[in-house]
Amino acid sequence: MNILIKNSKLVDKEMEIVSDIYIENGKIKEIGENLQMDCEIIDGKGFTIMPAFVDLHTHFREPGRTDKEDLETGGRAALKGGYTLVNLMANTDPVASNMELVDYVLRRGEELDLVQLHQTVSLTKDFDGKTLSHLDLIDVEKVKFISDDGYGVISNKVSYDSMIKAKEKGFIIMTHAEDMDLTPIDYRISENIITFRDIYLSQVTGARVHFAHVSTEEAIKGIREAKSKGVNVTCEVTPHHIYMYNSDYKVNPPIREERDVSALIEAIKDGTVDAIATDHAPHTEEDKEEGAPGISGIETAFGICYTSLVKEGHIDLKKLSEIMSTNGAEIMGANKGRLKVGYDGDLVLVNLEDKYKIDSKKFQSKGKNTPLDGIEVYGEVAMTVKAGDIKYINDKYSELR
């Protein structure tokens, strides 16, 4: 698809200019002033264009729990949130432990033609906490991440063996840092002890380890120290863990204390945090009432992050683009996340000036579970473009087309 967007402010990790941007055959072809092309032209004056967002951690529930979400509703929710590439967790039903399920998800993604999907495979077979033999049958050209997200690997030996195998095959281990034997005693200890263990095992084995949804002051400090020593680790934080504190709204890991939020924000500022990932976890109303942990967050992520990080003066918009787009794309090996000639033509147009209220009733996701309903934020997604194709336009900005 070919499209020219004129007169917008263009912002990525290195650039902040007012210019036109032209996408041809799905790739960014030209950036400059007063461009003239024979194609669809959009006047983006008053809007900011950023690289579309990349979500390293999300749950679309298909197959198995399509009452909570499916690949279509999840894809539409992602587009509304400004995302064009999402990494899906393995806690489907059945568990994503084989290429048959991976290929099903990838095929469905191509059929739907909404967002680009990547399917994570379970680190242990069917989340049994011990079996690794299935990893020998996984196509490394299609699968980049392995993870027992939601469970964590308690066995030190299994964790060590998984890192040896991941290093050998080229997988990135996404660690859900939780010792479930310790969780009933103290979830802070539970997260911290697995974080420290997996840092050490990454150092010993050389395996590439990515820490999911880091939430404690101690864990992020350990990751910072590990990075300073050259350990092969990266990490993500969620919007809700940098926006909320002292809340009993049920998520996993739990909402922490104010000191933890401050520590995570400092880690964003100093570069310890590589990415913001939503951990989008849609649930039915009934399951949420019964205590299911999680937030339906992919549609609210940018507004929450822009308001709490940029508007509050902690970072600038270029840094936010880096941790919501560039770094996630680089971790995934995707040609996205930059406004640069040759990169995929995946863009998001945002209105940074006007306040708006989060309204879960208008979510594209089946999951309406959020503690953020009614909160006023800045940073509304007006349009999402994937490979030059307009995939989403906010009804408030229908005049763009």
Side-chain angles (χ1 to χ4, degrees), residues 85-349:
L85 171 59
V86 298
N87 179 40
L88 304 176
M89 294 299 101
N91 61 337
T92 49
D93 183 13
V95 177
S97 296
N98 57 69
M99 287 308 300
E100 183 180 1
L101 192 144
V102 170
D103 286 336
Y104 165 78
V105 169
L106 298 182
R107 186 170 61 251
R108 281 287 291 145
E110 290 177 359
E111 290 169 357
L112 291 167
D113 193 25
L114 295 170
V115 297
Q116 183 178 344
L117 303 178
H118 175 271
Q119 178 62 58
T120 296
V121 164
S122 65
L123 189 150
T124 63
K125 184 175 174 59
D126 299 327
F127 290 158
D128 69 3
K130 57 185 180 182
T131 305
L132 303 174
S133 57
H134 68 297
L135 297 176
D136 293 324
L137 304 176
I138 301 302
D139 184 348
V140 296
E141 295 300 317
K142 294 181 179 179
V143 176
K144 298 185 181 299
F145 293 95
I146 55 175
S147 177
D148 275 14
D149 182 66
Y151 295 89
V153 175
I154 296 177
S155 167
N156 295 334
K157 176 66 161 55
V158 172
S159 184
Y160 173 81
D161 288 344
S162 72
M163 291 197 192
I164 295 294
K165 189 171 286 290
K167 177 71 184 306
E168 171 191 321
K169 294 184 70 68
F171 294 125
I172 301 171
I173 291 180
M174 180 177 280
T175 293
H176 175 93
E178 178 182 2
D179 184 329
M180 288 179 288
D181 291 338
L182 288 171
T183 296
I185 301 169
D186 189 317
Y187 206 150
R188 180 179 294 272
I189 296 174
S190 172
E191 177 175 345
N192 290 343
I193 201 164
I194 298 299
T195 301
F196 302 152
R197 180 199 70 182
D198 286 355
I199 287 172
Y200 179 67
L201 291 179
S202 174
Q203 183 177 11
V204 169
T205 64
R208 190 173 175 188
V209 174
H210 178 81
F211 289 91
H213 44 51
V214 180
S215 70
T216 73
E217 180 181 22
E218 298 86 3
I220 201 66
K221 180 181 178 183
I223 292 166
R224 178 185 291 111
E225 291 175 353
K227 285 187 162 194
S228 73
K229 296 175 182 176
V231 183
N232 195 9
V233 297
T234 53
C235 72
E236 67 189 45
V237 298
T238 73
H240 48 273
H241 283 119
I242 59 173
Y243 183 78
M244 302 170 63
Y245 57 88
N246 296 340
S247 169
D248 59 3
Y249 192 87
K250 191 163 180 60
V251 289
N252 186 6
I255 302 300
R256 301 295 187 178
E257 301 172 14
E258 188 173 8
R259 68 183 176 96
D260 299 298
V261 173
S262 297
L264 295 182
I265 291 174
E266 284 303 310
I268 288 171
K269 291 163 68 173
D270 70 21
T272 300
V273 170
D274 297 279
I276 289 175
T278 69
D279 195 7
H280 173 70
H283 290 293
T284 63
E285 185 176 349
E286 294 75 20
D287 282 350
K288 196 62 185 172
E289 288 174 354
E290 291 175 5
I295 289 175
S296 181
I298 203 165
E299 295 173 66
T300 60
F302 180 71
I304 290 295
C305 293
Y306 177 73
T307 302
S308 61
L309 294 174
V310 179
K311 293 291 284 186
E312 290 296 319
H314 297 296
I315 60 174
D316 61 17
L317 192 58
K318 291 192 288 186
K319 180 65 175 180
L320 186 59
S321 181
E322 179 183 359
I323 59 177
M324 291 194 73
S325 302
T326 314
N327 291 350
E330 289 179 355
I331 289 169
M332 292 195 69
N335 187 40
K336 303 179 189 293
R338 295 292 306 276
L339 301 182
K340 197 171 182 180
V341 172
Y343 276 68
D344 289 356
D346 290 18
L347 314 174
V348 57
L349 276 74

Side-chain angles (χ1 to χ4, degrees), residues 346-374:
D346 290 18
L347 314 174
V348 57
L349 276 74
V350 292
N351 175 0
L352 301 179
E353 303 304 321
D354 299 336
K355 261 187 179 180
Y356 68 99
K357 276 189 179 181
I358 291 173
D359 184 355
S360 63
K361 292 189 293 295
K362 296 181 180 178
F363 282 1
Q364 295 289 310
S365 172
K366 292 180 183 179
K368 314 303 180 187
N369 49 301
T370 177
L372 306 174
D373 210 23

